[in-house]
Amino acid sequence: DSGVTQTPKHLITATGQRVTLRCSPRSGDLSVYWYQQSLDQGLQFLIQYYNGEERAKGNILERFSAQQFPDLHSELNLSSLELGDSALYFCASSRLLQETQYFGPGTRLLVL
Amino acid sequence: QQQVKQSPQSLIVQKGGISIINCAYENTAFDYFPWYQQFPGKGPALLIAIRPDVSEKKEGRFTISFNKSAKQFSLHIMDSQPGDSATYFCAARHYNQGGKLIFGQGTELSVKP
């Protein structure tokens, strides 16, 4: 158990809908990262927050957004969902920048 | 420039054998190279990591070999066990892009008893 928690574990929704994925980092970790894992794209970095501020952005679609709250938990919002958004979404955390990242168990999203 | 290429895509090894997975990169600004192990239905877990100023790092049965001039690094699993059957990802981190990891495509390892 990495100490990173993600909810929900599974999510089934329809195209055009909006969902929110939640991540609680390990105790004391200030940085949160979001990754998407799909069969064709592999593990892709989406976005990083550090102590509430956006720090780095990857190939994140405009339909996706994230934030990190004062208690350091983070949420990834996915809107206008498409079939191709079906994937595993992982959150990782690290104590500071440029430190070892610990991954959560992921949220499996299925868009029908 | 931001890619990490991993091979092979899949690997079958007999119990007790050596598993070798290779990765290559182009960007010389990468300064940290971790390997992650992922079991079905689980998140990736850090296995071992190396920095480019070191040519080899060993932790138990797992060894990373790093060739800075060739921009290649590899994971060796000695005395492979059925419990090692998982997907392995190499990754690289840029020295000043906040810590995001660039992952290889993954290698599905199957260790046969």
Side-chain angles (χ1 to χ4, degrees), chain A residues 35 37 48 98 100-101 103, chain B residues 36 38 93 95 98-99 101:
Chain A
Y35 293 87
Q37 186 175 35
Q48 176 198 7
Q98 305 288 105
T100 299
Q101 294 179 34
F103 281 74
Chain B
Y36 280 82
Q38 185 179 25
R93 186 184 68 195
Y95 82 99
L101 294 174

Side-chain angles (χ1 to χ4, degrees), chain B residues 1-6 24-27 30 92 102-104:
Chain B
Q1 274 263 330
Q2 289 280 47
Q3 281 186 330
V4 177
K5 294 183 180 177
Q6 183 172 346
Y25 64 98
E26 288 294 326
N27 195 334
F30 290 146
I102 308 297
F103 283 90

Side-chain angles (χ1 to χ4, degrees), chain B residues 2 4 22 32 34 38 46 56 60-61 64 66 70 74 85 92 109:
Chain B
Q2 289 280 47
V4 177
N22 301 298
Y32 172 74
Q38 185 179 25
L46 179 67
E56 186 175 282
R61 296 184 294 109
I64 300 179
F66 192 89
S74 59
S85 298
L109 171 65

Side-chain angles (χ1 to χ4, degrees), chain B residues 46-71:
Chain B
L46 179 67
L47 197 59
I48 187 172
I50 198 168
R51 295 189 185 274
D53 53 345
V54 175
S55 61
E56 186 175 282
K57 183 173 181 180
K58 184 176 180 179
E59 288 184 5
R61 296 184 294 109
F62 301 92
T63 300
I64 300 179
S65 296
F66 192 89
N67 186 329
K68 189 174 180 179
S69 59
K71 291 185 235 169

Side-chain angles (χ1 to χ4, degrees), chain B residues 1-14:
Chain B
Q1 274 263 330
Q2 289 280 47
Q3 281 186 330
V4 177
K5 294 183 180 177
Q6 183 172 346
S7 63
Q9 216 170 352
S10 63
L11 183 60
I12 300 175
V13 173
Q14 290 296 122

Side-chain angles (χ1 to χ4, degrees), chain A residues 7 9 21 23 26 31-32 40 60 70 78 82 103 109 112:
Chain A
T7 56
K9 284 189 178 178
L21 313 183
C23 167
R26 295 186 320 155
S31 193
V32 168
D40 54 343
I60 187 168
L78 315 177
E82 302 175 359
F103 281 74
L109 173 67
L112 300 175

Side-chain angles (χ1 to χ4, degrees), chain B residues 70-86:
Chain B
K71 291 185 235 169
Q72 295 174 348
F73 58 110
S74 59
L75 175 70
H76 296 234
I77 306 174
M78 312 299 287
D79 187 25
S80 298
Q81 299 296 311
D84 297 330
S85 298

